[in-house]
Amino acid sequence: MVDSYRPLSLKEALDLRADTGAMPFAGGTDLMVRYRYESGAIPDYPRPVMFVNQLDDLRKIRRIDHGLSIGAAVTMTEVLDHDDVPEILKEALLTIAAPGLRNTATIAGNICNASPAGDSICALYALDAGVKLQSPGGERIEPIYQFITGPGKIDLHADEILTEIIIPEDHSTIHLFKKVGTRRANALSKLTLSAVARISDSRIDEIRIAIGAVAPTVVRSLELEKRMEGRSLKEVALEAEDILRDYDALVQPIDDQRSTAVYRKRVAMNLVRHFLLGVVLQQKGA
Amino acid sequence: MATINFSVNGTSHAIDTDPLRRLLDILREDLKLTGVKEGCGEGECGACSVLKNGILVNSCMIPIGTCEGTEIITPEGLRETVQGKAIIDAYGESGAVQCGFCTPGMMMATEALLRKNPSPSEGEAREALSGNLCRCTGYDMIIDGVLKAAERGKGLW
Ligand SMILES: Cc1cc2nc3c(=O)[nH]c(=O)nc-3n(C[C@@H](O)[C@@H](O)[C@H](O)COP(=O)(O)OP(=O)(O)OC[C@H]3O[C@@H](n4cnc5c(N)ncnc54)[C@H](O)[C@@H]3O)c2cc1C
Ligand code: FES
Ligand code: FES
């Protein structure tokens, strides 16, 4: 049996984490399944557990300079009910599990679980989100694509807690979120696409394309995005097939119980193609 | 071990227990509230649904340590309210109950929906109950029950 803690302030939580190595427990929708033991028995946690969802410091959504901060203990339902949250993140959250689970599950937990099929994660890549990590000694902010290092792997130090998700102001003029799963509720993704773009005067000012569950971590290419940004739709149209071939090389899915590599690759590339040729390049003045 | 203070269906409890035990087990085993069912034990089926501070949750996913100071409503509590009675009657008239195993959880999800949205569309009702599995009815009769409860019980929520 392991100990459990219920700190009442962020400071207490950070000290506890540093002193005991307790693992943060947010909504528990991953932890309760991962360590599930027999019916009626206490889950088989390998380390002490520290509840965090009662921490007021982590329960706020607030506007910050050039963006939005979502506290690590804010539930998915609370994020969905908030006016300032970008639409693409809401669309992604609505595909996760079902209302009862979204009432306790957090985005921070989805990120720290670091499943390649984490649906909020894919949207957060497209929004260029970052995470704030705090320890008794200080804090740092990392882009999500650096924080998540592999399936189930994150760059979280032993004395750190993820405290905020930081989403830069969303200036996109178009977005597309698409989750492919077996059924609408309670189904993990076979694959997901999250893409945003800002088009003005027939030019791509900004574009970000993220593809989930087709590689060890969400696929996003800063290089290919740079190649399109600042260019006219006409110019990009001439290179579109080339760019799609480069995306194709990055999409390296596997077979598992949810889908096959062949299916994932085909559908993922059809969606990227649709976003680029069918949505972005169809904007007025192309 | 810790003492957890919380209320269930309006009655206060102070329970000495391991905070990591599941709310589901406390309700069923310690408080004998067996209207709360365990189907899957992993968040998939909704049979264990209860309201925690008015919000629908799956009690198999909740450690009792996170319930300090909260108010829990189980199917036994819902059954005694006018709203609960309206839901029970509507389910009965719609033929929404066959083996009945999913029914308490379905009714908790229905109550949670109607509190937030007293006149839901069919689509909204399906979304609200999407975390509850039924192996018998094929769902249509349950959705009829939800819509009938909303219509008959107008003004109750
Ligand atoms: C039936 C079911 C269906 C699901 N469907 C989907 C789906 O469709 N799409 C999807 O993406 N996910 C799905 N999930 C998984 C999803 O619910 C989780 O990934 C959830 O987002 C995790 O959040 P949580 O708050 O419950 O995390 P927890 O389970 O509490 O924690 C998850 C991990 O994050 C760590 N952690 C949590 N908070 C912090 C913090 N502040 N700092 C550092 N580490 C932290 C924990 O230690 C743990 O390792 C489903 C789960 C279930 C049970
Ligand atoms: S028993 Fe809790 S969701 Fe199935
Ligand atoms: S009535 Fe049997 S599971 Fe729903």
Side-chain angles (χ1 to χ4, degrees), chain A residues 1-4 6 25-30 32-33 36 38-43 45 49 51 54 77 81 94 97-104 183-186, chain B residues 18-22 25 29 38 40-45 52 55-68 116 123 127-133 139:
Chain A
M1 237 197 290
V2 301
D3 286 332
S4 60
R6 189 169 175 277
F25 185 112
T29 63
D30 280 319
M32 294 290 280
V33 176
R36 178 170 180 230
E38 282 164 14
S39 171
I42 292 172
Y45 301 110
V49 167
F51 302 125
Q54 72 285 355
T77 301
D81 286 344
L94 276 175
L101 282 170
R102 295 198 294 265
N103 284 340
T104 53
R183 61 196 286 277
R184 284 251 296 279
N186 277 359
Chain B
D18 187 320
L20 293 174
R21 283 180 68 207
R22 303 180 304 173
D25 299 321
E29 288 170 19
E38 176 165 18
C40 64
E42 21 190 83
E44 304 260 357
C45 75
K52 181 182 176 193
I55 291 171
L56 185 72
V57 297
N58 300 50
S59 63
C60 71
M61 307 291 273
I62 309 262
I64 191 68
T66 64
C67 297
E68 178 64 36
K116 222 174 163 174
E127 163 65 19
L129 272 62
S130 64
N132 297 71
L133 299 183
Y139 300 100

Side-chain angles (χ1 to χ4, degrees), chain A residues 68-116:
Chain A
L68 194 68
S69 154
I70 300 177
V74 177
T75 67
M76 292 185 179
T77 301
E78 289 163 344
V79 175
L80 280 165
D81 286 344
H82 200 281
D83 289 340
D84 296 338
V85 172
E87 205 48 43
I88 190 166
L89 181 57
K90 291 192 176 182
E91 286 177 28
L93 292 177
L94 276 175
T95 71
I96 294 182
L101 282 170
R102 295 198 294 265
N103 284 340
T104 53
T106 63
I107 297 182
N110 203 231
I111 296 173
C112 291
N113 193 49
S115 159

